[in-house]
């Protein structure tokens, strides 16, 4: 009897240490199991994976730490007196998640790190770890439970490797940007009362603090909190990619995809109207808040943008949208004066590259690498690529037929053009938009004014495939240079001819010389 009681207690304690037990199981399934069940091309994790291991979404990370493994593991940690730690925080204080204990009136902090990084930080995993974690759809962003607490949260950890084409060691400038954007979003959320024009909810995952060992400007760990309203058991968060992922029940029987289930439960009889009302219109409302009220570019791709779904009386309903990765929002500096935004902090502190290299850092995302992302017209590309292509077209093309998809995109573009012309002064459009961007955008707008099936088909073929390929190639090139890798002459020449044909035949720019 005593042995049985001990067994029950041990099982209970183990269950309490699993952060997944504290969150909605369907949300966890969407984060961990469904990324690998999406069609090729619909999920950001599939992009450029064939080029190098650094371009793979999970890099060279051991499979036991991949989202699909869904394992619960102990995190590593460094115990640091507060005076030897750097904590980047909006409030100026250290959150409880980073506090280990207090000795003689002085706080002792804990610096948590991903268990795969033992060799980088030089500390083994302890026998009595403070934290248990399990991966989200991003292997380095972990759902975490702290010992003695029943409130789960998220740690975004540094990894000394390339993933998705970028270095994944968190620098100080990224931490500063994340805290600033979090504070700005909190203000906007209060002003809008968390509601979009459509009446649906909107929200975000606050990134409240990042901790570093003192004097180290690279390799921090960020604390991301989970909004309280999402902790209810009837709340399901679905990253956009998960809407079209294949699903099965515990017996291996096929289930409808999430988008099919949501449509069935919605009461709509028109797929096109369902997507416009429940997805594209409210998503455009959120894009407008981010761009024109916050003055930020956005990476609203299919991993960072999540649909808020509520289960009621056995039916699932879309009620809002949430955004994550606050550091992936970049200021549109040249638009600030038109929007009346005054930034109080430098969002791009310098990274001590030499010191980081001495520590063993190999894969760094330096601020200058991201300058491409904050060019004055980046929000137009952010709209076309991250939002329009990745979160709308690449998802709903698996649910709608071609004509329905075209109509959704036309409606989406018309909203974008209307908002753009209404919010952005003509003087700004003339003075700040790069020639290539302006021609590209004008070409889009001209098609919207007069529906022409032939031109629309051209646009679908080139604007959605060749144009996207060019953008992806240019970004990959800038990323590849971080690893001293250069594309072959043949690859360069191939993209040169594609780009020239695209510029000359589609948007009327003169040919370039190779």
């Amino acid at each position: 009897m005593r042995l049985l009681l001990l067994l029950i207690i041990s099982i209970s304690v183990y269950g309490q240490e699993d952060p997944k037990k504290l969150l909605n199981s369907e949300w966890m399934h969407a984060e961990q199991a469904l990324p690998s069940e999406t069609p090729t091309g619909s999920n950001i994790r599939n992009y450029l994976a064939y080029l190098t291991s650094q371009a793979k979404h999970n890099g060279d990370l051991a499979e036991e730490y991949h989202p699909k493994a869904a394992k619960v593991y102990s995190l590593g940690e460094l115990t640091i007196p507060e005076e030897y730690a750097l904590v980047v925080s909006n409030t100026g204080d250290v959150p409880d998640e980073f506090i280990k204990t207090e000795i003689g009136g002085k706080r002792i902090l804990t610096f948590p790190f991903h268990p795969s990084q033992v060799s980088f930080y030089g500390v083994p995993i302890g026998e009595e770890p403070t934290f248990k974690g399990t991966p989200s759809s991003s292997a380095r962003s972990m759902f975490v439970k702290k010992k003695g607490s029943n409130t789960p949260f998220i740690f975004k950890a540094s990894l000394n490797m390339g993933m998705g084409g970028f270095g994944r060691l968190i620098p100080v400038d990224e931490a500063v940007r994340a805290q600033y954007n979090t504070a700005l979003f909190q203000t906007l959320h209060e002003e809008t009362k968390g509601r979009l024009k459509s009446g649906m909810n909107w929200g975000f995952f606050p990134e409240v603090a990042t901790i570093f060992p003192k004097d180290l400007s690279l390799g921090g760990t960020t604390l991301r909190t989970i909004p309280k309203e999402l902790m209810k058991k009837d709340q399901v968060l679905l990253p956009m990619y998960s809407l079209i992922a294949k699903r099965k029940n515990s017996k291996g029987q096929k289930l409808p995809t999430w988008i099919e289930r949501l449509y069935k439960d919605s009461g709509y009889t028109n797929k096109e109207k369902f997507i416009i009302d429940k997805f594209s219109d409210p998503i455009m409302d959120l894009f407008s808040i981010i761009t024109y009220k916050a003055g930020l570019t956005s990476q609203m791709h299919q991993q960072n943008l999540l649909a808020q779904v509520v289960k009621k009386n056995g039916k699932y309903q879309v009620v809002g949208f949430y955004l994550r990765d606050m550091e992936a929002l970049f200021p549109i500096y040249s638009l600030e004066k038109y929007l009346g935004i005054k930034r109080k902090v430098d969002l791009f502190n310098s990274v001590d590259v030499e010191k980081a290299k001495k520590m063993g850092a190999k894969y760094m995302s330096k601020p200058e690498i991201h300058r491409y992302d904050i060019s004055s017209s980046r929000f137009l590309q952010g709209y076309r690529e991250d939002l329009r292509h990745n979160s709308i077209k690449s998802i709903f093309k698996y649910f709608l037929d071609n004509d329905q998809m075209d109509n959704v995109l036309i409606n989406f573009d018309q909203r974008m053009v209307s908002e753009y012309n209404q919010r952005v002064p003509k003087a700004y459009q003339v003075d700040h938009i790069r020639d290539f961007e302006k021609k590209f955008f004008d070409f889009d707008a001209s098609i919207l004014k007069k529906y022409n099936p032939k031109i629309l088909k051209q646009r679908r073929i080139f604007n959605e495939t060749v144009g996207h390929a060019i953008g992806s190639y240019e970004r990959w090139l800038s990323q590849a240079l971080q690893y001293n890798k250069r594309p072959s002459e043949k690859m360069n020449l191939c993209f040169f001819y594609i780009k020239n044909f695209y510029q000359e035949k589609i948007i009327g720019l003169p040919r370039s010389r190779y």
Side-chain angles (χ1 to χ4, degrees):
M1 184 66 182
R2 183 179 179 184
L3 181 62
L4 179 60
L5 182 61
L6 287 173
L7 180 61
I8 292 172
I9 292 173
S10 67
I11 291 173
S12 175
V13 170
Y14 175 79
Q16 291 172 354
E17 295 303 313
D18 184 350
K20 288 188 289 186
K21 302 289 185 182
L22 302 174
L23 295 163
N24 180 282
S25 60
E26 289 174 307
W27 178 16
M28 292 298 96
H29 185 260
E31 292 278 358
Q32 296 183 326
L34 295 189
S36 58
E37 298 298 328
T38 56
T40 301
S42 64
N43 191 343
I44 196 168
R45 66 178 50 249
N46 295 318
Y47 291 172
L48 305 178
Y50 62 92
L51 291 173
T52 67
S53 62
Q54 286 80 30
K56 294 177 182 177
H57 190 78
N58 292 313
D60 289 326
L61 198 63
E63 289 189 8
E64 64 181 301
Y65 300 121
H66 288 195
K68 189 175 182 179
K71 288 190 175 181
V72 176
Y73 42 71
S74 301
L75 273 60
E77 58 184 306
L78 289 166
T79 300
I80 313 173
E82 187 170 2
E83 61 267 31
Y84 291 103
L86 168 65
V87 179
V88 180
S89 168
N90 270 329
T91 63
D93 200 8
V94 181
D96 292 341
E97 287 83 356
F98 290 145
I99 298 176
K100 181 85 169 179
T101 186
E102 188 172 312
I103 300 177
K106 290 187 176 182
R107 292 190 296 193
I108 306 299
L109 307 186
T110 178
F111 171 76
F113 59 86
H114 195 280
S116 69
Q117 300 300 292
V118 167
S119 61
F120 181 68
Y121 291 105
V123 178
I125 305 296
E127 293 182 4
E128 296 184 8
T130 304
F131 304 102
K132 290 282 189 178
T134 189
S136 67
S137 57
S138 170
R140 69 179 183 137
S141 293
M142 305 165 287
F143 294 100
V144 177
K145 181 188 178 300
K146 186 177 182 181
K147 191 174 182 179
S149 170
N150 281 321
T151 302
F153 50 87
I154 297 168
F155 275 152
K156 183 171 184 177
S158 291
L159 297 177
N160 190 27
M161 63 177 63
M163 295 175 71
F166 281 109
R168 299 297 175 173
L169 288 171
I170 297 174
V172 171
D173 62 276
E174 183 177 298
V176 172
R177 187 168 63 249
Q179 315 317 315
Y180 176 83
N181 289 339
T182 292
L184 182 57
F185 267 51
Q186 285 171 337
T187 299
L188 290 173
H189 197 264
E190 291 172 5
E191 289 178 358
T192 60
K193 297 181 179 179
R195 305 289 278 185
L196 300 169
K197 284 182 183 178
S198 63
M200 296 178 76
N201 304 327
W202 80 273
F204 65 101
F205 287 76
E207 297 190 3
V208 297
T210 303
I211 187 171
F212 299 82
K214 196 172 184 179
D215 297 327
L216 178 66
S217 58
L218 200 67
T221 296
T222 295
L223 168 64
R224 181 184 294 168
T225 57
I226 300 173
K228 291 182 180 178
E229 64 270 20
L230 302 181
M231 294 298 296
K232 299 175 183 177
K233 290 298 182 181
D234 65 345
Q235 301 283 321
V236 185
L237 262 287
L238 298 176
M240 292 298 285
Y241 66 77
S242 68
L243 295 175
I244 54 172
K246 292 181 290 185
R247 297 197 303 150
K248 295 179 180 179
N249 61 20
S250 57
K251 298 180 180 179
Q253 297 167 327
K254 183 179 178 181
L255 293 174
T257 61
W258 270 113
I259 193 63
E260 291 168 343
R261 178 62 191 265
L262 291 169
Y263 177 62
K264 179 183 177 182
D265 289 353
S266 70
Y268 278 75
T269 57
N270 183 305
K271 286 185 175 183
E272 183 182 313
K273 183 169 175 52
F274 167 68
I275 295 300
I276 290 174
D277 289 353
K278 295 299 183 181
F279 288 92
S280 67
D281 272 359
I283 287 172
M284 178 53 65
D285 292 341
L286 180 54
F287 175 82
S288 294
I289 289 174
I290 295 169
T291 303
Y292 304 119
K293 287 195 173 185
L296 298 170
T297 66
S298 56
Q299 293 185 1
M300 295 172 69
H301 55 63
Q302 58 273 68
Q303 187 179 40
N304 284 351
L305 182 63
L306 304 94
Q308 179 191 13
V309 173
V310 171
K311 184 179 181 181
K312 189 175 182 180
N313 298 324
K315 292 188 176 183
Y316 296 88
Q317 302 290 332
V318 183
V319 297
F321 292 90
Y322 277 71
L323 195 66
R324 58 185 171 194
D325 275 6
M326 291 293 100
E327 82 289 343
L329 300 162
F330 295 86
I332 312 168
Y333 290 117
S334 57
L335 189 57
E336 289 176 357
K337 65 178 181 179
Y338 295 101
L339 299 174
I341 295 173
K342 295 181 180 180
R343 305 192 192 279
K344 298 179 181 179
V345 295
D346 176 11
L347 299 186
F348 290 93
N349 296 343
S350 61
V351 171
D352 192 334
V353 177
E354 292 306 313
K355 185 178 290 185
K357 285 182 178 178
K358 288 179 181 178
M359 185 182 174
K362 297 179 181 178
Y363 303 101
M364 295 174 280
S365 289
K366 294 179 288 185
E368 55 266 31
I369 296 298
H370 293 295
R371 291 294 175 182
Y372 177 81
D373 287 328
I374 57 167
S375 64
S376 60
S377 54
R378 173 64 175 87
F379 64 97
L380 297 182
Q381 182 181 333
Y383 163 73
R384 284 200 320 272
E385 188 171 314
D386 289 326
L387 182 55
R388 186 186 191 277
H389 187 277
N390 291 347
S391 285
I392 302 296
K393 184 170 189 281
S394 291
I395 302 301
F396 299 123
K397 70 179 182 181
Y398 294 97
F399 177 66
L400 304 172
D401 63 34
N402 284 341
D403 288 340
Q404 291 171 331
M405 189 72 252
D406 284 342
N407 289 336
V408 168
L409 291 176
I410 288 170
N411 177 78
F412 202 54
D413 287 340
Q414 286 174 334
R415 284 283 315 274
M416 170 58 181
V417 171
S418 175
E419 293 274 355
Y420 175 78
N421 286 328
Q422 183 180 349
R423 305 287 191 102
V424 180
K426 291 292 182 183
Y428 173 87
Q429 296 183 31
V430 172
D431 294 340
H432 293 89
I433 303 301
R434 291 178 299 177
D435 188 45
F436 181 82
E437 291 279 358
K438 188 69 170 63
K439 291 273 189 180
F440 199 111
F441 196 64
D442 285 346
F443 177 74
D444 276 2
S446 67
I447 293 174
L448 301 178
K449 292 176 182 177
K450 185 177 181 181
Y451 182 85
N452 185 316
K454 184 177 179 180
I455 298 180
L456 184 64
K457 185 177 180 181
Q458 276 188 331
R459 178 194 192 206
R460 186 166 67 236
I461 294 172
F462 291 98
N463 207 17
E464 299 298 332
T465 55
V466 181
H468 182 68
I470 292 168
S472 296
Y473 173 72
E474 288 177 343
R475 279 194 319 285
W476 175 76
L477 179 60
S478 69
Q479 296 159 16
L481 293 178
Q482 292 181 79
Y483 312 115
N484 296 317
K485 296 180 182 293
R486 294 183 179 276
S488 67
E489 185 71 8
K490 185 176 180 180
M491 194 174 189
N492 265 333
L493 193 61
C494 173
F495 275 95
F496 168 76
Y497 281 119
I498 292 175
K499 187 171 183 177
N500 252 338
F501 179 80
Y502 180 63
Q503 288 185 178
E504 182 182 29
K505 301 296 184 183
I506 303 304
I507 57 177
L509 286 178
R511 293 176 64 83
S512 306
R513 294 183 63 184
Y514 183 66

